[in-house]
Amino acid sequence: MVLRLTLLALGVFELLRPRKVVDFWMGLATTDGDEINLRPWVYSAARVEGALLVLWVLRRRCGGE
């Protein structure tokens, strides 16, 4: 249950603020001073990922699993 709530919160946050989520994870994945240039579609992909997470959680909840 906690995992589903966490995924739901992450999915909603990704839908609303994809740039913040991607920048946060890229900051963790790179070392200081690395210059990273992301392609513009990365933020759209993060938004799609957020939508899929939300749909998955809601579908699992409605299915009673």
Side-chain angles (χ1 to χ4, degrees), residues 6-60:
T6 304
L7 289 175
L8 180 63
L10 178 62
V12 170
F13 195 60
E14 248 183 331
L15 275 170
L16 299 176
R17 304 271 185 199
R19 186 171 296 271
K20 282 192 172 203
V21 174
V22 170
D23 291 346
F24 170 77
W25 288 113
M26 288 304 296
L28 287 178
T30 59
T31 59
D32 292 335
D34 284 351
E35 183 62 33
I36 304 291
N37 294 319
L38 298 174
R39 297 184 188 266
W41 59 264
V42 170
Y43 301 110
S44 297
R47 194 172 295 234
V48 169
E49 179 185 40
L52 291 174
L53 283 173
V54 169
L55 290 173
W56 181 78
V57 169
L58 292 177
R59 184 171 181 199
R60 301 256 321 180

